[in-house]
Amino acid sequence: MDIYGLTGGIASGKSTVSRMLRELGAQVLDADVIAREVVEPGTPGLQAVAERFPGVLDADGRLDRAKLGMRVFGDATERAALNALLHPLIGQQFLLRTQALAESGVERVIYDAPLLIENRLHEAMNGVVLVWVPREVQKARLMERDGLDEAAAEARLAAQLPLDEKRQHATWLVDNSGDLGTTRARVEEVWRAMLARG
């Protein structure tokens, strides 16, 4: 089975590209979805997060993502502690799912992961798709989407490797700074290139 990575940065449009790939018939595994599942109530993941970050559960015993986000986005040490808890659990689930898909005859999977390059997962992949926009576009979209002021948006951008640094690891670049039609045409090109590889 071929495994391709799909990555980008916050507010770069990675989810849009992921949806387009699904529409073209791609099997996409979303790291963010898996990350939510490993901290569902009753999971070892949620217990570990609650012990390390007291006060991040709501009244129903579910993870309060906003509270946790406030704790980790501005603090590299806290963010690293959270990643150390969750990334092994996410990786384990990813392996189980790719094995199940391979057994069902799926020939290629796309792993949609925001920290693909930061966590060096791209090194084991058959190729990487990077969704890219200029930094100022990324910041403006983030501020508008999440209702953040400039300082808060900068803090979130600083928590990730800049898109321009990720470019050197990309097999394919999808420039998402234009209209959706242009992005879709490029995504179709990338998908055809993946299919052509075998």
Side-chain angles (χ1 to χ4, degrees):
M1 174 190 271
D2 288 339
I3 300 176
Y4 296 99
L6 170 64
T7 195
I10 192 167
S12 64
K14 182 175 60 62
S15 298
T16 299
V17 170
S18 181
R19 188 186 72 245
M20 289 176 179
L21 284 164
R22 282 189 177 93
E23 288 166 1
L24 292 168
Q27 283 279 348
V28 180
L29 291 176
D30 188 329
D32 286 339
V33 170
I34 297 173
R36 284 192 287 277
E37 290 170 359
V38 300
V39 290
E40 283 291 311
T43 59
L46 183 62
Q47 184 179 344
V49 170
E51 286 172 7
R52 173 60 181 76
F53 300 94
V56 297
L57 299 187
D58 65 17
D60 298 325
R62 302 186 78 84
L63 184 62
D64 185 326
R65 294 181 181 284
K67 270 188 191 169
L68 182 62
M70 284 170 28
R71 293 266 292 271
V72 302
F73 269 118
D75 187 325
T77 304
E78 294 288 86
R79 197 164 57 249
L82 179 65
N83 289 341
L85 291 174
L86 296 186
H87 288 168
L89 299 172
I90 296 166
Q92 185 180 29
Q93 282 302 312
F94 171 70
L95 285 176
L96 290 171
R97 287 169 202 211
T98 52
Q99 285 167 0
L101 288 168
E103 286 165 11
S104 71
V106 172
E107 295 177 3
R108 65 193 58 79
V109 166
I110 297 173
Y111 189 38
D112 175 349
L115 299 177
L116 187 85
I117 291 165
E118 290 89 334
N119 293 329
R120 301 179 69 169
L121 300 175
H122 66 288
E123 294 173 359
M125 308 232 159
N126 296 89
V128 173
V129 181
L130 174 65
V131 183
W132 179 91
V133 292
R135 194 175 191 283
E136 286 309 308
V137 171
Q138 188 182 12
K139 184 167 77 172
R141 287 181 181 174
L142 177 59
M143 289 168 68
E144 184 179 344
R145 186 191 78 183
D146 293 1
L148 301 175
D149 63 22
E150 191 167 355
E154 286 285 358
R156 299 217 170 186
L157 289 171
Q160 296 182 347
L161 195 65
L163 291 175
D164 285 335
E165 288 186 39
K166 293 184 181 188
R167 285 179 80 145
Q168 64 187 313
H169 303 289
T171 314
W172 300 283
L173 191 75
V174 176
D175 182 340
N176 191 38
S177 58
D179 61 81
L180 279 177
T182 304
T183 298
R184 183 175 296 279
R186 177 59 179 151
V187 170
E188 289 173 0
E189 275 177 26
V190 170
W191 179 238
R192 284 195 299 270
M194 286 183 190
L195 293 177
R197 286 184 160 204

